[in-house]
Amino acid sequence: MQVDDIPAVVELGNMLFTAETSPTLYRCWEEAEVLQIYTADKETCLVATCHERVIGFALGSLLEKPGSSWLYGWLDWLGVDPAFKRKRVAKRLTRQLQERFVEKGVRIMLVDTYEGNRNAIAFFRKFGFGQGIRHIYMSLNLDNHPKAIERKFMNDPGD
Ligand SMILES: CC(C)(COP(=O)(O)OP(=O)(O)OC[C@H]1O[C@@H](n2cnc3c(N)ncnc32)[C@H](O)[C@@H]1OP(=O)(O)O)[C@@H](O)C(=O)NCCC(=O)NCCS
């Protein structure tokens, strides 16, 4: 991936990662994150192109866990233009990323996705990922907290 590819990657990601496909708020697809991942680890950010148009991407980053000497390779974001789906674009991107991770000394490659993202889970399983761990994200609406009510009143006493 080159810096010039960033707008095309962001645009494709905006189409793929919507509130329906990525309903959790704990990680959001946005330009700033693409820039951050790219700046940190350029060599593990890959694009697939067709006639010089970006049709897929794999954005990976290196991760060191405190207390562990192992280096992890995180496949943060993987996306393929729906017009090119099931043409092994994701497989080739992930395989290339895997090779780069190995070259950098990575021992374990990690991915995560929303449990309802069946396509991605099918892809990851087929690729060889396993040992899935369930993780629960919970939320608490703070609209009725006394301080939130007070704030609302201060901002708009007429309400
Ligand atoms: C998931 C995704 C990356 C797969 O891309 P792709 O290029 O179509 O996948 P590939 O052609 O490389 O698939 C390789 C194998 O994975 C499996 N697979 C891929 N997509 C699948 C699907 N929708 N249903 C079932 N199996 C699937 C198949 O075994 C496939 O091999 P086959 O076509 O010979 O049966 C793509 O659908 C996508 O961009 N989804 C939206 C973004 C997303 O959810 N990203 C992952 C989380 S970051």
Side-chain angles (χ1 to χ4, degrees):
M1 179 171 164
Q2 304 289 322
V3 72
D4 296 353
D5 296 320
I6 291 174
V9 168
V10 170
E11 195 184 324
L12 180 54
N14 285 346
M15 181 176 80
L16 296 171
F17 303 113
T18 61
E20 284 132 50
T21 61
S22 318
T24 48
L25 281 172
Y26 76 101
R27 72 197 201 104
C28 291
W29 173 262
E30 56 173 352
E31 188 166 1
E33 204 188 329
V34 177
L35 277 172
Q36 192 192 321
I37 299 170
Y38 181 75
T39 311
D41 297 294
K42 290 184 186 57
E43 285 171 41
T44 51
C45 289
L46 310 172
V47 287
T49 59
C50 180
H51 301 303
E52 293 179 24
R53 188 166 76 82
V54 171
I55 56 151
F57 56 81
L59 308 182
S61 46
L62 300 168
L63 202 79
E64 276 174 274
K65 275 187 157 184
S68 164
S69 56
W70 287 23
L71 188 60
Y72 296 81
W74 190 295
L75 170 48
D76 292 86
W77 297 100
L78 173 70
V80 173
D81 186 327
F84 290 84
K85 69 178 179 191
R86 301 299 283 263
K87 294 191 187 303
R88 312 242 162 119
V89 175
K91 185 178 174 183
R92 280 181 276 172
L93 282 166
T94 308
R95 196 179 272 164
Q96 181 63 234
L97 184 62
Q98 185 185 26
E99 264 177 41
R100 293 193 178 200
F101 277 151
V102 173
E103 281 163 17
K104 287 176 181 293
V106 165
R107 300 269 309 268
I108 305 269
M109 197 166 162
L110 304 168
V111 290
D112 76 307
T113 193
Y114 158 57
E115 196 175 14
N117 191 350
R118 290 166 181 265
N119 297 345
I121 292 170
F123 169 78
F124 290 136
R125 282 198 197 289
K126 183 69 190 283
F127 193 87
F129 287 92
Q131 297 179 308
I133 296 169
R134 283 169 195 268
H135 191 107
I136 186 158
Y137 288 86
M138 300 167 95
S139 56
L140 176 64
N141 189 321
L142 301 181
D143 280 353
N144 292 325
H145 188 281
K147 283 211 186 277
I149 294 169
E150 191 184 307
R151 232 186 70 180
K152 205 173 156 206
F153 180 74
M154 300 289 268
N155 290 340
D156 192 355
D159 244 17

